[in-house]
Amino acid sequence: MPTTARTAPSATTTGVTLRPAAGAADAPGSSGFWVVGAVLVLLMLSSSVPSALYVLYQQEWGLSSGMITVVFALYAVTVLAGLLLFGSLSDTLGRRPVLAAGLVLAIVSMGLFASARGLGLLLAARAVQGLAVGLATGAMGAALLELAPRSRPALGAQVNSAGPTVGIGLGGIGAGLLVQYAPAPTVLTYLLLVGAFAVSLVGVARMAESAPGRAGGGGPGSSGGPGGVVAGGGAPGGGRFKITPHRIHIPAAVRGRFAVLILTIVAVWSVGGFYLSLGPHLALSLLESANYLVGGATVALLAGAATAAQLLLGRTEALRTAVLGLLGLLGGLALVLLALGLGSAPVFLVATAVLGAGWGAAFLGSFRALSALAEPAHRGELTAAVYVFAYLAMSVPAVLAGLLTNIHGLHRTSVGFMATVAAVCALALLATLRLAARTRTQGSTA
């Protein structure tokens, strides 16, 4: 969900450059760096697990597609609430306590999922899970940058970029396997995650604190000055419980460029929300299969292609990456429409891979370009605005698609949804090309 130049929205944008903590080891495996990376992957993995189980919930509990998308949207809304309310909490309390609190909430949510026998607990579990992810995300992103080994300073940003999509992919395929082949998958899946989160909690308790001004945290020049502030608000090192909501602000000077780039964010996360809520059901329908692994594999294919694209284009200029991603999205959407028209499962799988590559590249490029619009001191405020658009784009269109599915059926709704998103992508592509041309012209005359 989004991280800084990530595939899934999250509060890892800091608004300043973080230096590796003084205790960050040259060898990445010798510090808490990989503990935090594992927590990131695990939280994203757990967030995608319900996607593979939605079809089972529909069959066992008689839930409509519209209600399934409401369950999904509740997660997105609570993640956003957690990000905006608690994104800077680790600046005052430290990374470890906030990560630990997020993991405890994640364990509680897994228990609620495992106990769910109807819609009520399912909604409660999704809400608590969203708060867990929102609470932990800011601390994870900052800790990865602070604990990155000095010999590989870019590793923190790379793990931040690839971690969410790796987790989403593993969650989809893992849950699909358990649903198809394991007993009591709606219980066993979550009990396994409880164990994994408990192990992660032990790792977090043993890792070094990296927050500037906290015990063991802060490298040279990061004792609470600009180089150590993470994400807006709070007094680093104060140790007091202080909730400072992210201020949402788009500077007047960059609003035109923001409007252009946010179109891509909206298109990207509309596709992501649809696939994570209704994608498995659509795949099972096209493949005319009763194998639940198909649904999870669809999510994994989308996320895996996104991860590959982000790793391949990680050093490509931001606007060029966004343009390539939008072209991939348009190509993938066209193939999805072709697959729906032909009723072809192979074409749908190819379309999902192309769409995933475009999804990853478009988000990477547009987020990087958006992050560069504001001055460092105000970047957190602008990033908060990006999160709002991203999570609303992930949730609102998915809910509308679910409600329309109840009326028009999944096939017709999918065609209309993909065609609409394709129109938004085309508009975003034209606007981004004009922005890139204008940027080149300004650069050549500067």
Side-chain angles (χ1 to χ4, degrees):
M1 324 261 90
T3 42
T4 312
R6 311 340 175 228
T7 308
S10 66
T12 57
T13 296
T14 65
V16 291
T17 301
L18 293 177
R19 299 180 177 90
D26 287 337
S30 62
S31 72
F33 178 82
W34 290 114
V35 173
V36 181
V39 171
L40 172 61
V41 170
L42 188 58
L43 281 171
M44 295 300 102
L45 183 156
S46 69
S47 74
S48 69
V49 161
S51 295
L53 296 173
Y54 284 148
V55 176
L56 200 58
Y57 291 140
Q58 283 184 283
Q59 293 175 354
E60 291 186 356
W61 300 342
L63 300 180
S64 67
S65 295
M67 190 51 65
I68 287 296
T69 55
V70 167
V71 173
F72 172 78
L74 180 60
Y75 165 78
V77 170
T78 52
V79 171
L80 179 59
L83 287 170
L84 296 180
L85 287 174
F86 307 118
S88 59
L89 188 60
S90 69
D91 295 346
T92 54
L93 296 184
R95 313 299 179 219
R96 287 195 306 169
V98 174
L99 284 174
L103 287 170
V104 169
L105 281 178
I107 290 172
V108 171
S109 71
M110 295 302 104
L112 291 172
F113 274 121
S115 304
R117 297 296 180 268
L119 180 62
L121 276 182
L122 185 61
L123 288 168
R126 213 50 167 137
V128 175
Q129 184 181 43
L131 286 175
V133 173
L135 174 63
T137 297
M140 287 189 297
L144 284 171
L145 296 176
E146 292 160 349
L147 293 171
R150 292 179 178 179
S151 59
R152 300 175 65 187
L155 190 61
Q158 291 169 351
V159 172
N160 263 327
S161 296
T165 44
V166 169
I168 289 171
L170 290 175
I173 198 72
L177 285 167
L178 289 172
V179 170
Q180 185 62 35
Y181 300 112
T186 57
V187 176
L188 178 62
T189 304
Y190 299 114
L191 293 181
L192 291 173
L193 285 170
V194 166
F197 280 126
V199 172
S200 299
L201 191 57
V202 173
V204 167
R206 294 170 62 89
M207 64 179 265
E209 176 58 63
S210 63
R214 303 294 295 164
S222 64
S223 58
V229 178
V230 177
R240 294 177 291 107
F241 185 84
K242 181 180 179 182
I243 297 176
T244 306
H246 280 289
R247 181 170 180 256
I248 300 173
H249 178 66
I250 305 167
V254 302
R255 285 175 187 169
R257 283 173 286 173
F258 182 91
V260 169
L261 294 167
I262 209 67
L263 279 174
T264 301
I265 297 290
V266 169
V268 164
W269 285 104
S270 295
V271 170
F274 182 90
Y275 259 81
L276 289 171
S277 55
L278 297 176
H281 191 182
L282 182 61
L284 287 169
S285 174
L286 281 174
L287 288 169
E288 298 180 347
S289 172
N291 190 324
Y292 295 106
L293 180 58
V294 169
T298 301
V299 174
L301 180 60
L302 183 81
T307 302
Q310 288 189 330
L311 293 176
L312 286 173
L313 297 172
R315 296 187 178 183
T316 306
E317 188 269 330
L319 288 179
R320 181 176 298 178
T321 302
V323 167
L324 291 173
L326 286 165
L327 289 171
L329 279 174
L330 282 170
L333 289 166
L335 287 171
V336 170
L337 289 171
L338 178 63
L340 292 170
L342 298 175
S344 171
V347 175
F348 177 74
L349 294 176
V350 172
T352 299
V354 174
L355 199 60
W359 183 48
F363 184 68
L364 174 68
S366 58
F367 205 114
R368 283 170 52 194
L370 282 163
S371 297
L373 290 181
E375 295 297 322
H378 300 287
R379 195 167 295 149
E381 299 171 356
L382 184 138
T383 301
V386 176
Y387 294 149
V388 171
F389 278 97
Y391 279 101
L392 289 178
M394 184 195 293
S395 54
V396 174
V399 171
L400 291 175
L403 295 174
L404 289 172
T405 296
N406 295 338
I407 302 171
H408 301 292
L410 181 59
H411 187 277
R412 289 180 63 188
T413 299
S414 299
V415 170
F417 184 92
M418 297 300 172
T420 301
V421 175
V424 175
C425 285
L427 180 61
L429 178 61
L430 292 175
T432 304
L433 286 171
R434 289 184 61 186
L435 177 61
R438 189 163 66 247
T439 302
R440 285 194 300 270
T441 300
Q442 291 172 348
S444 63
T445 57

